């Protein structure tokens, strides 16, 4: 059984938009403020749709069949989230990630997967996240060690003037993928098992285990 999740992937233009704003910020946080912060590779920036603690291969096949039906029906062809900006997750008091966060998306209740949330194997996933969908994209990770400490709430308040603005409609997605999830001593690794282009029913079987 495998940890896995569905996620929306950013367009190349959107990744470039974020890189322009986040690469200088990471250097400033690390070099000027001593934050133990590491950039998530931009190719891995995504908004999680539905996370599963474990699924068998046959169950992943069933989930992906439903995703393919949703893509064919145009369910996610024009995703528009209202982005608020950067936030520490899960909170400034217990920071582990730096995310780009959006407002709650009420339209998720009309997605095909929402109607399947109480059925197997979908109910094995984090359906609470799906049904009360607040999109976020993990762009940096924080990890204490080797003399470095995690930022405290007052540290977060101090860097607020440095945070770049993220325009509300700046980010777009062009793919939905099924990621496998492996946590190593170095970092999480998320090889893509399958990918579909949003607005296109042509399926790709992913072969590159980009982490």
């Amino acid at each position: 059984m495998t940890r896995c999740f569905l996620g929306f992937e950013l367009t190349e233009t959107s990744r470039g938009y974020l890189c322009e704003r986040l690469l200088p910020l990471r250097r400033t946080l690390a070099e000027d403020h001593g934050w133990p912060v590491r950039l998530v590779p931009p190719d891995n920036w995504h908004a999680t749709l539905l996370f599963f603690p474990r699924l068998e291969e046959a169950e992943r096949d069933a989930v992906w069949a439903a995703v393919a039906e949703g893509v064919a029906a145009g369910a996610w062809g024009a995703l528009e989230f209202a982005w608020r900006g950067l936030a520490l997750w899960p909170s400034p008091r217990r920071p582990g990630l730096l995310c780009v966060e959006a407002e709650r998306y009420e339209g998720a209740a009309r997605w095909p997967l929402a109607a399947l949330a109480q059925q197997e194997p979908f109910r094995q996933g984090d359906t609470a996240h799906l049904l009360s969908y607040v999109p976020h994209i993990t762009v940096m990770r924080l990890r204490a060690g080797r003399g470095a400490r995690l930022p405290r709430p007052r540290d977060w308040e101090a860097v607020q003037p440095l945070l770049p603005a993220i325009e509300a409609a700046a980010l777009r997605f062009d793919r939905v993928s099924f990621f496998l999830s492996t946590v190593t001593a170095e970092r999480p690794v998320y090889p893509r098992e399958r990918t579909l282009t949003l607005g296109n029913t042509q399926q790709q079987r992913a072969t590159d285990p980009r982490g």
Side-chain angles (χ1 to χ4, degrees):
M1 302 184 80
T2 306
R3 286 166 51 98
C4 52
F5 61 91
L6 299 166
F8 299 121
E9 298 201 61
L10 288 165
T11 65
E12 183 176 354
T13 299
S14 295
R15 289 197 303 273
Y17 173 92
L18 286 179
C19 280
E20 289 178 0
R21 289 154 177 80
L22 297 180
L23 293 180
L25 175 65
R26 192 216 67 82
R27 286 193 297 270
T28 298
L29 293 178
E31 297 173 8
D32 298 343
H33 295 267
W35 287 30
V37 62
R38 178 170 53 83
L39 192 75
V40 173
D43 278 351
N44 281 345
W45 289 343
H46 66 271
T48 298
L49 170 58
L50 184 57
F51 172 79
F52 295 92
R54 61 188 69 82
L55 280 184
E56 300 283 2
E57 183 174 1
E59 293 172 323
R60 297 200 303 276
D61 289 343
V63 169
W64 191 247
V67 171
E69 288 182 9
V71 170
W76 303 291
L79 288 175
E80 293 187 5
F81 302 134
W83 299 98
R84 293 188 297 198
L86 293 164
L88 286 179
W89 190 89
S91 75
R93 293 188 176 277
R94 295 189 300 114
L97 308 171
L98 186 63
C99 301
V100 182
E101 191 174 57
E103 301 287 350
R104 177 175 173 176
Y105 184 67
E106 301 294 343
R110 297 188 294 274
W111 289 344
L113 295 190
L116 301 172
Q118 301 307 315
Q119 301 179 24
E120 292 290 348
F122 302 92
R123 64 186 299 175
Q124 297 181 46
D126 183 5
T127 56
H129 170 72
L130 172 64
L131 297 176
S132 297
Y133 194 62
V134 179
H136 68 272
I137 302 167
T138 299
V139 292
M140 301 185 203
R141 295 183 180 277
L142 296 118
R143 186 175 180 180
R146 298 182 181 179
R149 64 169 180 82
L150 293 175
R152 298 169 182 170
R154 65 172 179 268
D155 300 320
W156 178 238
E157 293 175 6
V159 301
Q160 291 299 304
L162 305 175
L163 302 182
I166 305 297
E167 297 173 36
L171 305 181
R172 294 288 185 269
F173 302 87
D174 60 2
R175 291 172 293 162
V176 59
S177 296
F178 216 148
F179 297 83
L180 305 182
S181 176
T182 303
V183 179
T184 70
E186 293 293 323
R187 59 176 179 170
V189 178
Y190 303 134
R192 294 159 177 78
E193 185 179 52
R194 315 172 201 204
T195 296
L196 277 170
T197 300
L198 297 176
N200 188 325
T201 57
Q202 182 178 0
Q203 177 173 334
Q204 303 172 13
R205 174 71 71 159
T207 58
D208 58 320
R210 291 177 285 177

